[in-house]
């Protein structure tokens, strides 16, 4: 949870996923700031080196727990927690490697962190698939669920509407709710 402290604004706190990994020794967040800016995002843009922001956490349970085959599904800015998770796996390669599949739906064919993800996929047993339509996404989900169904774990992160629609799709295809974890971003 990151709070603006250098001035007083309404709604001064937002949750952000850390996009950095533990091994990188830096706390990094990644966000999108468009033309229509909230007071919060305007205040973020005012920050310069040496100024402070207040941080509290981490909170939530959006991390990989066991050795099950895992499907990560990112929509746009929802790549942030997965960048962190995969970077950590890349750095800790002496651990047992589980099978991880990342499905990444870009926005306007833009894929944040693409070069880094390609590097990670070369160096670990992670596969990364870039997609730009819902049909392609469903096909790739079906491939994974036909292999692993409820022996697999499913993680979804991105704008709230995308997360809900993918979660409904999975449950409609007999994936049990307890095997689905969601990080739904508000404000997109
Ligand atoms: C678990 C979790 C993890 C998250 N991780 C991330 C992350 O890694 N990266 C990330 O970017 N976000 C993340 N989010 C979402 C984040 O917390 C914000 O909700 C999001 O960034 C939008 O913030 P905002 O201040 O731009 O939008 P909000 O204040 O929610 O406003 C929504 C939209 O309304 C418009 N708007 C709002 N105020 C004004 C104004 N005064 N004038 C004109 N237009 C306005 C803007 O277009 C804005 O985008 C996460 C959320 C959750 C719950």
């Amino acid at each position: 949870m990151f709070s603006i402290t250098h001035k007083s604004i309404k709604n001064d706190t937002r949750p952000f996923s850390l996009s950095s990994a533990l091994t990188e020794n830096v706390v990094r967040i990644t966000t999108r700031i468009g033309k229509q800016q909230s007071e919060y995002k305007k205040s973020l843009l005012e920050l310069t080196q040496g100024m402070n922001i207040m941080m509290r956490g981490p909170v939530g349970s959006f991390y990989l727990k066991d050795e099950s085959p895992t499907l990560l599904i990112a929509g746009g800015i929802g790549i942030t927690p997965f960048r962190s998770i995969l970077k950590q796996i890349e750095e800790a390669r002496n651990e047992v490697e589980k099978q991880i599949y990342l499905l990444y739906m870009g926005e306007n064919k833009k894929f944040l962190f693409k070069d880094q993800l390609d590097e990670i996929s070369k160096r670990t047993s992670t596969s990364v698939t870039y997609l730009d339509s819902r049909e392609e996404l469903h096909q790739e989900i079906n491939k994974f669920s036909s292999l692993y169904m409820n022996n697999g774990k499913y993680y979804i992160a991105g704008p709230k509407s995308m997360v809900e629609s993918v979660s409904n799709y999975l449950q409609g295809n007999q994936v049990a709710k307890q095997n689905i974890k969601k990080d739904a971003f508000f404000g997109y």
Side-chain angles (χ1 to χ4, degrees):
M1 304 296 291
F2 291 83
S3 305
I4 296 292
T5 58
H6 67 279
K7 67 188 211 188
S8 173
I9 59 167
K10 259 196 197 169
N11 306 323
D12 59 5
T13 304
R14 296 279 185 284
F16 289 109
S17 309
L18 296 187
S19 55
S20 50
L22 207 59
T23 46
E24 292 180 291
N25 219 15
V26 62
V27 172
R28 175 165 49 192
I29 59 171
T30 306
T31 190
R32 214 176 62 189
I33 306 184
K35 285 196 182 113
Q36 303 275 62
Q37 294 159 6
S38 65
E39 278 305 301
Y40 183 91
K41 294 275 170 88
K42 281 183 190 153
S43 307
L44 266 191
L45 284 175
E46 289 163 6
L47 291 172
T48 55
Q49 199 169 356
M51 288 170 75
N52 294 323
I53 189 164
M54 196 172 84
M55 188 179 93
R56 139 176 99 71
V59 292
S61 58
F62 203 73
Y63 48 82
L64 307 195
K65 273 209 178 110
D66 55 33
E67 298 307 320
S68 314
T70 300
L71 186 65
L72 311 177
I73 305 167
I77 190 74
I79 195 63
T80 48
F82 298 140
R83 191 265 175 201
S84 168
I85 288 170
L86 295 176
K87 193 76 191 161
Q88 184 67 23
I89 286 172
E90 182 190 30
E91 299 294 331
R93 262 179 305 160
N94 49 347
E95 288 177 13
V96 180
E97 286 205 8
K98 65 183 111 199
Q99 202 60 47
I100 298 181
Y101 302 85
L102 170 66
L103 305 180
Y104 186 1
M105 283 275 283
E107 276 166 291
N108 306 321
K109 302 203 176 168
K110 282 200 193 119
F111 297 96
L112 202 61
F113 299 125
K114 183 169 187 305
D115 292 349
Q116 295 178 22
L117 294 169
D118 288 342
E119 199 53 40
I120 290 171
S121 79
K122 277 188 216 146
R123 295 174 53 167
T124 67
S125 60
T126 302
S127 91
V128 183
T129 308
Y130 301 98
L131 305 163
D132 61 16
S133 76
R134 190 175 289 215
E135 291 70 36
E136 284 179 333
L137 177 66
H138 288 176
Q139 275 174 19
E140 293 299 323
I141 289 174
N142 294 348
K143 277 189 206 164
F144 179 90
S145 58
S146 63
L147 282 175
Y148 303 113
M149 190 44 82
N150 282 307
N151 293 322
K153 293 280 187 292
Y154 302 75
Y155 291 75
I156 319 168
K160 192 169 184 301
S161 58
M162 172 265 174
V163 170
E164 288 312 322
S165 101
V166 174
S167 174
N168 289 340
Y169 182 78
L170 289 171
Q171 289 177 65
N173 285 285
Q174 319 313 324
V175 176
K177 215 173 173 178
Q178 70 261 27
N179 291 327
I180 304 173
K181 275 203 178 187
K182 305 186 277 187
D183 236 7
F185 295 8
F186 303 103
Y188 289 112

